[in-house]
Amino acid sequence: MALKIRINRKSVESMTRQLTNQLGDLISTGALTIGSLLPSERTLANSLGVARNVVRGSYEYLEKAGIIQREGRKGRRVRARTSGKKAAPRKAARKAAAKKR
């Protein structure tokens, strides 16, 4: 999968922020669909010519924002958007199930 991402080293904005914004835009426009596997940190860093920590920082920010999810050693995928209302009952159901055990 070839991502159309460009990093401007002369920009006032950090490379991590540039990458985060561009990945977010690709996801919101549908260029990266729900469930799409993102490139590994090393692969994306090499293709962009940036340090791996730039990609890692961007991925971590997107994970905290709930846009992507990490699947252990499998990598990271674009996450389906869930509202807080749907997540709360699941959490409550899990707690109730745990109490029954």
Side-chain angles (χ1 to χ4, degrees), residues 37-54:
L37 187 64
L38 296 172
S40 69
E41 291 174 5
R42 182 171 283 129
T43 301
L44 187 55
N46 288 339
S47 69
L48 296 174
V50 297
R52 201 166 140 205
N53 65 340
V54 170

Side-chain angles (χ1 to χ4, degrees), residues 49-83:
V50 297
R52 201 166 140 205
N53 65 340
V54 170
V55 177
R56 182 179 301 127
S58 178
Y59 280 178
E60 286 175 357
Y61 181 83
L62 292 169
E63 281 177 47
K64 287 178 185 172
I67 297 171
I68 64 174
Q69 64 187 20
R70 178 181 220 138
E71 295 183 349
R73 295 185 57 97
K74 291 180 184 178
R76 293 177 176 93
R77 291 191 183 274
V78 177
R79 182 177 178 179
R81 285 281 187 187
T82 58
S83 68

